[in-house]
Amino acid sequence: MTRFYVTTPIYYVNDVPHIGHSYTTIIADIIARWNRLKGRNVFFLTGTDENSVKTVRAAKENGYQDIKKYADEMVEKWKNVWKILNISNTDFIRTTEKRHADTVKDFFNKVYKNGDIYKGTYEGLYCEGCENFLTKSELIGDLCLYHKTKPKSISEENYFFRLSKYQQRLEQFFKENPDFIQPKSRMNEVVSFLKTGLKDVSISRPNLEWGIELPIDKNQRIWVWFDALINYISGGNWPADLHILGKDIIRFHCIIWPAMLMSVGEKLPKKIYVHGFFTANGQKISKSLGNAIDPVALAEKYSVDALRYFFIREIPMGEDGDFSEKALIERINGELVSDLGNLVNRVVTIGEKFAGKIEGKDELSSKLNLDKIEELMEGFQFHLAIKEIFNFIRECNRYINQKEPWRLKDKELGHVLYNLAEALRVIAVLLHPFMPETSEKIRQQLGLKELGHIKFGKFKGKIKKGELLFRKVK
Ligand code: MSP
């Protein structure tokens, strides 16, 4: 079996997941489920990035003396949200785990032995939101682009990684692997950044009370990004086939991480997919603005699958988008209730009462462009793939209107029902990555033991009507 290893970023634990984090994790989950469908042995890793000053600050703000205890409690919250959103990760890595700290120390020692680490002084800016050393040119006014806060001016002794040494090798690598970063526009962004010239980066910080100690200097701790990126090795089955991440952390993943791997002689990940950011009702999502929408509340109100569907259908993959409850409700009432829910309901209502044989000649499968859907899925064009699936759903509804099965009986009805039931089965297979619960409900109503393959074949189920899939939101 081909293996497929996909990752999400590991998230900071100073807060609970909002819809932005959920978006990334759902994209990764769709990829994991799609690859399982394709018969690959999927390893899907997510986790938490805990060795950050943010963790210490949040713990203290919340009255915790024991930072680890705070992190433990927050991790439970993250895990619980992923469970509610039906995330099918196969492992969960925490950077406070021993397996991770051991891998990081080992990795650091290798980089050090290769002569890629030296001691120096860093004088400049540091944004604690980004956990990153910034230059003035990266600011807007005097504020961090992402956090809209003023970075700290710091002057400290720390250890540097010779990132500049990898300039040419990275250039060469990108030239030889033009598909390494997807979408293409992100690849171009990275290549132009590279052209501005790489500087060495600090990879340790002095006088921190929390984090992984530097193996060669007890007064320093490893910079949280150097530590965090290594999670993909400590938690996984390296090399990864795919890293999924948002556009805010592209340089860490597309420049520093590959250079770190080159330094220790490890393989590079096979691909990196970068998605856009979204706003909530037109505003940047942030804790301080208090508009960090809770994905669990939305899932409870509208169902997990409605939320998963909305994320993918509403925001073209790779682009920025906006989240609003109004737009979510429109999609539920329009596509989920009127197209999909209606189709399932019509088919199972007629099918349940039919006592004859559900068999006949296929006359619907040609309306479904499976090759196109496969191509769109493999090329991360999920919004188009799901649109294609819904076009087929509408075709099926049209087929019912044309055939008027309520007027038919016996063999003729068996034939029309065969087409509709097989179409629904295939739709359920295709929807599984996006809406696993809905797919399962369709399987049950079709009375199938398992959903089976993606192509039209014989229908082997016994239709039994169940609850409506989606209800209209008033
Ligand atoms: N801990 C680092 C990642 C280390 S990976 C080795 C980190 N964590 S984070 O908690 O801040 O999560 C950042 C990721 O969450 C982004 O890259 C993106 O995938 C996702 N998002 C956070 N806000 C988002 C939006 N508003 N919109 C879409 N995705 C967003 O950075």
Side-chain angles (χ1 to χ4, degrees):
M1 225 194 223
T2 340
R3 51 144 248 163
F4 186 83
Y5 172 23
V6 58
T7 69
T8 72
I10 48 170
Y11 302 100
Y12 292 125
V13 292
N14 59 323
D15 202 358
V16 289
H18 62 54
I19 51 170
H21 310 116
S22 306
Y23 179 60
T24 314
T25 311
I26 287 171
I27 288 177
D29 187 57
I30 291 168
I31 292 169
R33 288 177 186 273
W34 169 255
N35 278 281
R36 282 188 201 111
L37 215 72
K38 300 298 293 174
R40 296 172 193 138
N41 180 17
V42 173
F43 188 77
F44 172 14
L45 182 70
T46 189
T48 41
D49 187 354
E50 302 176 32
N51 300 319
S52 161
V53 286
K54 296 165 191 273
T55 313
V56 180
R57 210 184 317 120
K60 290 188 175 158
E61 275 167 18
N62 287 288
Y64 285 76
Q65 298 302 318
D66 184 343
I67 301 162
K68 179 67 170 33
K69 184 167 181 284
Y70 170 77
D72 289 347
E73 290 179 19
M74 291 305 286
V75 165
E76 284 317 304
K77 292 187 183 170
W78 280 81
K79 285 186 173 169
N80 190 41
V81 173
W82 298 153
K83 204 168 146 202
I84 292 170
L85 298 185
N86 241 324
I87 304 301
S88 63
N89 56 301
T90 49
D91 203 347
F92 189 101
I93 181 89
R94 298 183 55 181
T95 54
T96 46
E97 282 176 70
K98 185 173 182 301
R99 61 170 169 160
H100 176 71
D102 289 348
T103 314
V104 170
K105 286 179 187 161
D106 193 46
F107 196 105
F108 177 90
N109 285 331
K110 280 189 194 149
V111 180
Y112 183 63
K113 272 207 190 109
N114 291 344
D116 281 348
I117 284 169
Y118 63 93
K119 200 170 187 180
T121 306
Y122 175 80
E123 266 202 57
L125 304 169
Y126 194 83
C127 170
E128 286 189 349
C130 296
E131 283 280 18
N132 198 15
F133 304 89
L134 299 180
T135 60
K136 281 218 168 91
S137 64
E138 286 167 305
L139 305 181
I140 296 214
D142 54 358
L143 303 182
C144 158
L145 168 69
Y146 286 104
H147 297 90
K148 309 278 187 254
T149 49
K150 210 169 168 170
K152 278 188 178 169
S153 280
I154 56 172
S155 169
E156 59 187 36
E157 229 184 25
N158 43 35
Y159 290 81
F160 284 74
F161 169 56
R162 287 187 207 282
L163 181 63
S164 59
K165 180 175 150 188
Y166 293 92
Q167 169 97 26
Q168 269 164 10
R169 279 183 66 185
L170 286 169
E171 280 170 5
Q172 188 66 22
F173 179 78
F174 292 147
K175 205 181 272 168
E176 286 164 9
N177 299 277
D179 296 330
F180 179 62
I181 304 166
Q182 298 278 328
K184 189 126 204 93
S185 54
R186 297 291 172 198
M187 179 58 139
N188 298 340
E189 185 185 322
V190 170
V191 169
S192 5
F193 175 72
L194 197 55
K195 281 200 186 119
T196 64
L198 292 181
K199 292 192 187 66
D200 295 347
V201 285
S202 297
I203 55 157
S204 75
R205 303 207 55 208
N207 312 320
L208 294 182
E209 57 178 304
W210 175 249
I212 301 176
E213 269 183 17
L214 207 70
I216 55 165
D217 186 337
K218 296 273 165 282
N219 295 319
Q220 300 259 340
R221 293 191 193 258
I222 296 182
W223 175 46
V224 66
W225 269 100
F226 189 88
D227 149 354
L229 288 161
I230 298 169
N231 92 85
Y232 301 131
I233 293 184
S234 53
N237 188 352
W238 196 255
D241 291 270
L242 182 63
H243 290 321
I244 303 291
L245 42 123
K247 65 176 185 180
D248 55 333
I249 54 178
I250 188 167
R251 287 188 198 163
F252 301 103
H253 283 82
C254 300
I255 293 193
I256 299 181
W257 179 224
M260 284 165 66
L261 290 163
M262 285 173 177
S263 171
V264 298
E266 274 287 356
K267 287 193 173 128
L268 264 52
K270 296 201 186 111
K271 210 167 253 181
I272 296 179
Y273 181 80
V274 184
H275 67 70
F277 251 48
F278 56 94
T279 45
N281 302 306
Q283 269 190 318
K284 173 184 153 33
I285 302 173
S286 90
K287 205 179 171 187
S288 51
L289 284 173
N291 65 344
I293 299 169
D294 174 12
V296 173
L298 286 171
E300 276 166 5
K301 198 161 164 194
Y302 301 108
S303 86
V304 176
D305 281 1
L307 189 64
R308 292 177 62 119
Y309 174 78
F310 174 79
F311 279 154
I312 300 307
R313 184 64 185 79
E314 181 78 5
I315 304 147
M317 290 287 291
E319 289 177 26
D320 292 341
D322 186 51
F323 178 89
S324 80
E325 226 166 309
K326 187 169 164 278
L328 169 64
I329 292 171
E330 274 166 22
R331 295 246 178 236
I332 295 174
N333 288 346
E335 295 137 26
L336 295 182
V337 175
S338 304
D339 298 335
L340 176 61
N342 192 26
L343 174 66
V344 173
N345 187 45
R346 290 165 98 185
V347 175
V348 296
T349 304
I350 306 166
E352 188 179 48
K353 292 188 203 126
F354 181 63
K357 276 206 171 128
I358 299 186
E359 59 183 21
K361 221 176 83 218
D362 163 29
E363 52 186 9
L364 255 181
S365 71
S366 64
K367 304 261 193 251
L368 178 69
N369 195 342
L370 272 178
D371 291 343
K372 186 170 173 195
I373 292 175
E374 293 229 357
E375 201 186 305
L376 292 168
M377 291 302 289
E378 296 290 334
F380 306 105
Q381 301 288 308
F382 301 159
H383 57 298
L384 297 179
I386 207 156
K387 210 166 149 187
E388 201 62 37
I389 300 168
F390 271 73
N391 282 343
F392 181 59
I393 290 171
R394 278 187 286 271
E395 281 296 339
C396 294
N397 272 322
R398 223 166 280 143
Y399 179 80
I400 300 184
N401 298 347
Q402 278 162 12
K403 296 284 171 183
E404 304 187 322
W406 47 91
R407 293 188 197 280
L408 305 175
K409 46 183 194 207
D410 305 331
K411 246 192 147 147
E412 272 185 332
L413 180 55
H415 161 74
V416 169
L417 268 174
Y418 159 74
N419 274 282
L420 289 167
E422 235 346 65
L424 267 189
R425 186 188 64 75
V426 173
I427 288 167
V429 175
L430 290 171
L431 285 182
H432 167 79
F434 301 102
M435 301 195 278
E437 244 174 60
T438 303
S439 164
E440 173 58 16
K441 282 183 189 163
I442 299 175
R443 180 193 68 74
Q444 280 171 9
Q445 301 203 26
L446 290 176
L448 290 163
K449 282 207 188 70
E450 51 196 37
L451 275 175
H453 53 73
I454 214 161
K455 295 234 156 76
F456 275 63
K458 281 202 170 104
F459 179 70
K460 297 189 191 114
K462 181 151 184 17
I463 297 177
K464 190 167 177 353
K465 195 173 168 174
E467 262 183 65
L468 285 181
L469 294 188
F470 296 97
R471 284 181 192 281
K472 203 169 175 100
V473 184
K474 300 233 166 65

